[in-house]
Amino acid sequence: MELNNTMYVMEYGIVRFSPFVETEEFANIGIVLIAPEVGFFGSKIQSRKYSRITNFFDPLPRDIYLSATRQLNIELSRIAKVSANYSIKQRYFDFGEKQITRLVFQDLLRRKEGAIRFSPVKLVLAADPQEKLQELYRHYVDREFATPVYNERLLELEVRGRLQDFDLARDFSSQKVGDGTYQARFPFVKTLDGSIKRIIKPLFLGQERPEAIIDHGNKWAYTVTRLRKAGVLPKEILFPIRPPKDGQKRLVAYKEAIELLNGAGVSTILADEKAKIIEYALG
């Protein structure tokens, strides 16, 4: 494809792997991008470093991910060939190559079945679609696993492992807790006779920006305050915390976040305090 310095409007979608619809969790695993003005349809799917994706889902057998992405790659290859053929043949018709490429792309992103989902269509301006495809992949997929969301998920897996070591994991389940107007999902909820007895919510407070640490702590402080007002929480709830590793401003922000949480009636401990987690879970 011959390209010059002309900037083209491109459309792209983020490919998401979401094996458990009920939890609404997903991981970004690829990018699909089109540049209708030059008849480009391209994609890139994570097919090598998939263990960090399967581990993200508690953990998930790798065959499920590999099967889903294998079928997706077959379909994307077929679509790319169809799009390329139409780009040549249809440019002489009234609707032209631009429309064919866009129609195929939009039809793909509308699909909702199975473990593969797509983000809403996004627009970007660039000169080289292949280069932009690689750039978007690095941003959305390679960096996906350095985010606070991912770190918090890993923290949940650590806590689940500790509960399993003492045969306690089966007593807890992920549940939405609320009063019908406001609700929040907690990863570890223990109920007895229909009443919530224990809640464990691992919390990552090691964000890069100090204000992000305070914001995340404040979000959960508000959530607990609101749910306590509704009378749907047990007397004591436990938040195992992963603090920032360094940085004076981050540590000050962390202290403020802990004060907010404690003020809302949350019992906070360090995530490494295994004995305290087990002691609470047994109560």
Side-chain angles (χ1 to χ4, degrees), residues 18-184:
S18 180
F20 307 119
V21 177
E22 64 275 11
T23 66
E24 301 177 358
E25 294 178 320
F26 64 84
N28 294 341
I29 64 166
I31 298 291
V32 179
L33 179 143
I34 62 169
E37 292 177 87
V38 293
F40 177 88
F41 179 100
S43 63
K44 184 172 183 178
I45 307 299
Q46 176 65 271
S47 58
R48 296 182 62 186
K49 301 176 182 179
Y50 56 81
S51 61
R52 57 185 183 178
I53 297 173
T54 54
N55 287 339
F56 182 79
F57 292 100
D58 196 24
L60 186 78
R62 68 173 188 170
D63 290 347
I64 294 178
Y65 178 77
L66 291 175
S67 176
T69 53
R70 187 181 302 115
Q71 293 301 315
L72 175 63
N73 278 318
I74 291 173
E75 182 174 15
L76 290 173
S77 295
R78 180 184 61 80
I79 291 174
K81 291 177 181 178
V82 170
S83 179
N85 289 335
Y86 273 119
S87 293
I88 296 172
K89 296 177 182 178
Q90 297 296 324
R91 69 180 61 192
Y92 301 108
F93 291 79
D94 290 341
F95 49 84
E97 62 176 308
K98 299 178 186 179
Q99 291 299 329
I100 287 295
T101 303
R102 181 174 287 115
L103 287 172
V104 173
F105 173 75
Q106 291 176 345
D107 179 66
L108 175 70
L109 265 65
R110 277 197 295 265
R111 301 180 190 182
K112 300 294 184 183
E113 71 276 5
I116 302 297
R117 305 297 173 98
F118 298 88
S119 73
V121 177
K122 301 174 183 292
L123 300 178
V124 66
L125 193 66
D128 187 328
Q130 186 61 248
E131 183 178 303
K132 178 53 67 172
L133 173 65
Q134 301 299 324
E135 179 186 329
L136 290 170
Y137 180 88
R138 290 193 296 270
H139 177 75
Y140 285 106
V141 180
D142 282 347
R143 296 183 185 178
E144 168 79 7
F145 297 93
T147 66
V149 173
Y150 179 67
N151 285 320
E152 196 153 288
R153 177 61 174 160
L154 286 182
L155 192 53
E156 291 178 10
L157 293 176
E158 288 180 24
V159 171
R160 183 175 299 279
R162 290 164 192 167
L163 294 174
Q164 289 173 339
D165 289 342
F166 288 83
D167 200 26
L168 294 171
R170 61 185 179 182
D171 296 335
F172 291 83
S173 63
S174 175
Q175 294 184 31
K176 287 183 177 179
V177 178
D179 60 359
T181 301
Y182 184 89
Q183 63 182 9

Side-chain angles (χ1 to χ4, degrees), residues 238-252:
L238 184 69
F239 278 36
I241 307 290
R242 180 60 46 79
K245 294 181 179 180
D246 51 33
Q248 183 60 33
K249 291 183 179 179
R250 295 169 70 206
L251 292 172
V252 170

Side-chain angles (χ1 to χ4, degrees), residues 267-279:
S267 295
T268 57
I269 62 171
L270 293 176
D272 295 332
E273 297 184 271
K274 302 178 183 180
K276 291 184 178 180
I277 294 174
I278 299 305
E279 180 183 356

Side-chain angles (χ1 to χ4, degrees), residues 146-149 151-152 203-221 241-244 249-258 260-261:
T147 66
V149 173
N151 285 320
E152 196 153 288
L203 198 68
F204 179 77
L205 291 178
Q207 290 81 350
E208 288 297 322
R209 295 181 296 109
E211 58 268 30
I213 294 174
I214 295 172
D215 286 345
H216 197 45
N218 188 53
K219 170 189 177 297
W220 280 100
I241 307 290
R242 180 60 46 79
K249 291 183 179 179
R250 295 169 70 206
L251 292 172
V252 170
Y254 166 72
K255 182 179 178 180
E256 182 173 338
I258 293 298
L260 289 168
L261 290 165

